[in-house]
Amino acid sequence: MEIRLPRLWMLLLRTSPHMSLKMENLPMLRYVYYYTVSELPEVLDGYVVVQQLQRLLQMPTLRHLQLHDQLPTVNVLAKLQVNCLDLQCLDIGMIVLSFGNIVHLLQALGRLHTFVFAIRNIWAPAPGIDLVRVQALSESVQLLRMYVVGRMRHSPVLLPTEEIVSRLPRLAKIQLQDGIAAMQDFVRRMKAEQRFAWSAAVADRVSIAKVDMLDKQM
């Protein structure tokens, strides 16, 4: 049985892996807080969670999306397709995005101000991404909350997290599970090197704080 709710604009849903939302049944939906729960072991391979995320990103009316996976978390490797172009907050907790997907989302979502995700802090192939041609990844993101898997420093080149931070001209807050000192050091270097026209202004403005990414009440 399908349920159509044409005036529903907010949904806080604790759902099973086999339950999905259909755009045509929720034409006014703006705010979704959606998290998966299941005792089925196959959910942990991440397929269901990734499919849920992809379906939610296809909903054009969304302005605020929180999708919190059960632990252990999963990796999103395939390129995400986005249709919610007015999304302002994207919070996927500890779901790990590839660098390519992060860049794709930042460039596609022109009104995004809050972005919460996990990232492996090592370089991997990112087809179609030309960082030489592109400078700013987003002109709107102000708050970046990251769960960083891997080291934060001891690298002769910029790490993926540092590339992202350096390319957000309006960034005002960085929140991290760990690696606060390393990020503070990078922001100081970003100001000294002035790689981009906005680097010094961002370094002077941005605050860096420790958060618990496991706390779903943030």
Side-chain angles (χ1 to χ4, degrees), residues 60-111:
T61 57
L62 281 193
R63 302 293 184 271
H64 185 115
L65 171 58
Q66 290 178 267
L67 173 61
H68 286 172
D69 181 24
Q70 78 289 323
L71 295 177
T73 193
V74 299
N75 297 278
V76 182
L77 300 177
K79 186 176 181 180
L80 292 167
Q81 302 302 314
V82 183
N83 200 27
C84 49
L85 300 182
D86 290 327
L87 195 68
Q88 297 173 15
C89 174
L90 177 56
D91 177 354
I92 56 171
M94 292 179 62
I95 296 175
V96 180
L97 293 180
S98 67
F99 179 79
N101 259 324
I102 293 167
V103 170
H104 171 59
L105 290 169
L106 286 170
Q107 292 182 317
L109 301 173
R111 298 189 178 183

Side-chain angles (χ1 to χ4, degrees), residues 136-139 141 165-171 198 201-202 205:
L137 295 178
S138 169
E139 295 284 355
V141 169
V165 166
S166 71
R167 293 171 179 269
L168 300 176
R170 298 188 181 276
L171 189 62
W198 57 80
V202 171
R205 176 178 66 241

Side-chain angles (χ1 to χ4, degrees), residues 153-206:
R153 255 292 93 206
H154 307 300
S155 173
V157 298
L158 288 188
L159 295 168
T161 50
E162 296 170 340
E163 278 287 4
I164 294 165
V165 166
S166 71
R167 293 171 179 269
L168 300 176
R170 298 188 181 276
L171 189 62
K173 294 181 181 179
I174 303 171
Q175 298 176 341
L176 301 165
Q177 178 84 9
D178 294 297
I180 301 298
M183 183 57 70
Q184 290 171 333
D185 179 63
F186 169 69
V187 168
R188 284 192 290 268
R189 289 188 292 110
M190 183 174 73
K191 179 178 180 179
E193 295 169 4
Q194 297 194 40
R195 182 183 180 196
F196 300 114
W198 57 80
S199 296
V202 171
D204 288 338
R205 176 178 66 241
V206 73

Side-chain angles (χ1 to χ4, degrees), residues 104-122:
H104 171 59
L105 290 169
L106 286 170
Q107 292 182 317
L109 301 173
R111 298 189 178 183
L112 191 68
H113 62 70
T114 298
F115 193 15
V116 183
F117 59 92
I119 178 175
R120 295 192 183 280
N121 214 19
I122 56 174

